[in-house]
Amino acid sequence: MPDTKVYLLDGGTLVLDGFHIWWNKGPGGEVRFPVYSVLVDHPQGKFLIDTGYDYDHVQKVLPFEKPQQTEQQTIPGALKLLGLEPKDIDVLFNSHFHFDHVGGNKFFPDVKKICHKDEMPQAANCQSFEVLGYSDLAFSTEVAEARGMTDQLDAGQTAGNTSFEFVEGDVELAPGVTLIYTPGHTVGHYSLLVEFDTRRPLLLTLDAAYTRKNYENDINAGFHIDPVAGVESMRRLKKIEEDKNAEVLFSHDPESFKEYRTGVNFYG
Ligand SMILES: [Zn+2]
């Protein structure tokens, strides 16, 4: 049986102040950081985890995050590098619904989509301090309608082709591909553990820890719903790292990302 391969789909970069990346710690000042999605090419199917950000949305709603994204860094562009098209994806899983993780969902109208059961109602009725995080609502007609922002929907987006299946707790998407429930950053946030036949596991924190510095020092990002749960989630991931001897990948770490395999280079 062919082993699993994990590809990181480079989605360009954004800018935040250091105090937003390392909450109440800093240092402040502009930090340009990477955004990427994850393709798990598994014997049972192609699983896409997150879809990056939509450049036009960020320019319109969050221009202060100064997006830089080439054609190859859009989801269709990144898949094309691998000889794939959006229609080749079997399952789309969103770790959470922040704008930099759902921007390319619109390319997958006919794909099975999965998220945590609490993430959808939260995006539809979020706290005032979460509005910027949950600002791109084109991933769901239901959420866009609840927030009164149906103008964000593209033609052709319907309740049917933006519907999700809901999960809770830790979930095995396929043998060796496990969603690890890590709330705190958002109510329904997930990290990802991928185990292989031939190499050590990969533990992708996703936004439970933007950077190694967040992870090693239990520092939440400024965007969060429950900082205590966030710290507990980071500690849980460190326990899994230790138990599994996993290699840990962070979601928005400019330093670590330089060493990550991207494009046609994969883990597996
Ligand atoms: Zn996030």
Side-chain angles (χ1 to χ4, degrees):
M1 192 150 92
D3 196 10
T4 303
K5 294 175 184 168
V6 171
Y7 296 88
L8 305 186
L9 309 183
D10 182 358
T13 58
L14 295 170
V15 163
L16 275 179
D17 187 86
F19 272 103
H20 287 295
I21 296 178
W22 302 290
W23 183 52
N24 284 354
K25 186 77 178 177
E30 281 195 356
V31 178
R32 181 165 288 280
F33 59 88
V35 173
Y36 65 87
S37 305
V38 183
L39 173 65
V40 181
D41 188 358
H42 187 277
Q44 291 188 1
K46 289 182 171 58
F47 299 84
L48 180 64
I49 290 76
D50 294 340
T51 60
Y53 67 81
D54 180 86
Y55 180 86
D56 292 339
H57 170 80
V58 179
Q59 279 293 18
K60 192 173 166 191
V61 179
L62 310 96
F64 47 85
E65 294 208 12
K66 303 179 181 176
Q68 290 184 356
Q69 187 183 62
T70 66
E71 187 62 34
Q72 286 194 336
Q73 291 170 323
T74 64
I75 280 285
L79 288 173
K80 195 175 173 188
L81 280 177
L82 307 177
L84 297 171
E85 297 176 43
K87 67 174 174 50
D88 296 318
I89 300 300
D90 297 296
V91 176
L92 168 56
F93 178 79
N94 287 107
S95 66
H96 63 304
F97 287 145
H98 281 169
F99 73 88
D100 54 329
H101 296 258
V102 300
N105 273 40
K106 62 187 171 194
F107 298 112
F108 304 93
D110 303 316
V111 171
K112 175 178 168 177
K113 301 176 193 68
I114 306 174
C115 68
H116 188 276
K117 69 174 178 59
D118 295 337
E119 193 65 14
M120 182 78 83
Q122 189 70 21
N125 186 25
C126 65
Q127 296 287 339
S128 57
F129 57 81
E130 294 183 296
V131 165
L132 270 184
Y134 293 121
S135 60
D136 185 349
L137 308 182
F139 67 93
S140 166
T141 59
E142 186 184 331
V143 173
E145 281 168 11
R147 295 269 301 276
M149 294 164 77
T150 49
D151 58 313
Q152 290 192 346
L153 298 170
D154 288 338
Q157 282 179 301
T158 65
N161 68 25
T162 60
S163 69
F164 281 75
E165 291 183 22
F166 299 125
V167 292
E168 59 185 306
D170 292 353
V171 179
E172 192 173 68
L173 268 184
V177 183
T178 309
L179 306 171
I180 311 287
Y181 177 50
T182 46
H185 179 65
T186 67
V187 292
H189 185 274
Y190 274 107
S191 303
L192 176 69
L193 175 70
V194 183
E195 295 171 277
F196 304 84
D197 291 339
T198 52
R199 57 154 287 145
R200 61 198 285 230
L202 279 186
L203 180 59
L204 296 111
T205 62
L206 301 172
D207 281 3
Y210 283 4
T211 72
R212 177 171 294 285
K213 176 174 159 180
N214 294 85
Y215 184 70
E216 292 186 345
N217 300 284
D218 292 339
I219 302 169
N220 283 287
F223 288 94
H224 59 248
I225 183 78
D226 182 343
V228 177
V231 168
E232 286 171 0
S233 287
M234 281 187 268
R235 291 178 180 162
R236 182 158 178 244
L237 290 173
K238 282 180 268 198
K239 179 79 170 58
I240 293 169
E241 176 192 8
E242 193 182 318
D243 291 348
K244 301 272 188 184
N245 183 31
E247 179 177 351
V248 183
L249 303 182
F250 306 99
S251 59
H252 298 303
D253 190 333
E255 287 309 310
S256 302
F257 191 72
K258 293 174 192 162
E259 311 295 323
Y260 292 175
R261 298 175 197 174
T262 57
V264 296
N265 299 310
F266 59 87
Y267 296 84

